[in-house]
Amino acid sequence: RNYKMERETRSERIIKELRDFNDDPQQAIRHMTLYKGEVKKTEKYLYESDLQIKITSKKEVRKDTNKEIETLYIGGGTPTALEKEELDILITALYKELDLSKIKEFTVEAGRPDSVNPTKLRSMLDLGVNRISINPQTMQDDILRRIGRGHSARDIDELLQYVKHNTSLAVNMDFIAGLPNQTMQNMIENMDYVCQNLPENVTIHTLALKRGS
């Protein structure tokens, strides 16, 4: 049996069905709950497939422009959602496909605290990652619940403190300005947290609502 072909067909079917509910978020949520195991597999498959395409593309661009790679960022999703062994394969593939001998900054996005653990952090360090992005979005639990985030401010702080005190990883933190019912005082609290904990980098995005989000 061609498992890859079956997996592709299943992935395409689920994604098509979810897109059909684009204008009905509640129905989409119910559908995703029904297929939650399948969706998880689909997301992983799509992430890995998309990454392979991008690796190939970047390799060709580098060859054409004769550029050296000094910074690399794996993200625009949550790569740490992969199992430790899968993440190892992913990072190792980058070394095989790209010349990273001149790399200065190698970042992995670790947006969700529940997707990171000490074993994954040690493995990333062993494979040359020297920076992670931790994405609280905001440090108020009521706002996090309102926007559907599964973590709390405490979860973020525990991850940050662990990374600071047990690894050599530099940290970027992502925040969003303009979240529903977010106030200026909330943003002041966010920046107070940054000033108290001093991550190496901070990125502040402005909220942009997209159809179906």
Side-chain angles (χ1 to χ4, degrees), residues 106-136:
F106 190 163
T107 305
V108 171
E109 185 168 335
R112 295 201 335 257
D114 66 302
S115 71
V116 189
N117 58 46
T119 302
K120 287 184 185 179
L121 292 171
R122 284 194 298 271
S123 181
M124 286 190 281
L125 280 165
D126 291 343
L127 290 169
V129 175
N130 57 14
R131 181 175 178 263
I132 65 170
S133 184
I134 300 173
N135 304 340

Side-chain angles (χ1 to χ4, degrees), residues 35-187:
Y35 284 111
K36 61 183 179 180
E38 298 292 332
V39 169
K40 184 176 180 182
K41 293 175 185 175
T42 299
E43 287 174 343
K44 278 189 178 183
Y45 174 69
L46 289 176
Y47 188 90
E48 292 164 353
S49 300
D50 187 50
L51 180 70
Q52 185 57 51
I53 292 168
K54 288 179 179 177
I55 289 174
T56 304
S57 174
K58 295 295 182 186
K59 185 178 181 181
E60 294 305 315
V61 169
R62 194 196 65 79
K63 187 189 298 182
D64 293 343
T65 60
N66 199 31
K67 298 286 187 181
E68 293 180 342
I69 300 173
E70 295 186 346
T71 63
L72 183 63
Y73 186 103
I74 307 178
T78 307
T80 48
L82 297 172
E83 299 298 330
K84 182 261 181 192
E85 292 75 16
E86 295 168 328
L87 190 58
D88 288 355
I89 291 170
L90 185 156
I91 294 173
T92 301
L94 289 168
Y95 281 99
K96 289 180 179 178
E97 295 296 328
L98 302 172
D99 179 5
L100 302 181
S101 60
K102 305 294 184 181
I103 196 79
K104 295 179 180 178
E105 183 181 272
F106 190 163
T107 305
V108 171
E109 185 168 335
R112 295 201 335 257
D114 66 302
S115 71
V116 189
N117 58 46
T119 302
K120 287 184 185 179
L121 292 171
R122 284 194 298 271
S123 181
M124 286 190 281
L125 280 165
D126 291 343
L127 290 169
V129 175
N130 57 14
R131 181 175 178 263
I132 65 170
S133 184
I134 300 173
N135 304 340
Q137 316 306 353
T138 193
M139 296 300 287
Q140 295 78 36
D141 288 344
D142 60 323
I143 298 177
L144 289 170
R145 286 192 296 271
R146 194 175 299 123
I147 63 175
R149 297 288 174 171
H151 66 262
S152 66
R154 180 176 178 177
D155 295 332
I156 289 290
D157 185 61
E158 288 179 350
L159 175 57
L160 177 62
Q161 301 310 323
Y162 182 88
V163 170
K164 287 178 62 176
H165 294 102
N166 295 279
T167 80
S168 58
L169 291 163
V171 175
N172 171 73
M173 298 190 82
D174 273 14
F175 290 86
I176 300 177
L179 291 169
N181 297 333
Q182 188 180 55
T183 66
M184 182 62 73
Q185 182 58 37
N186 294 147
M187 286 303 296

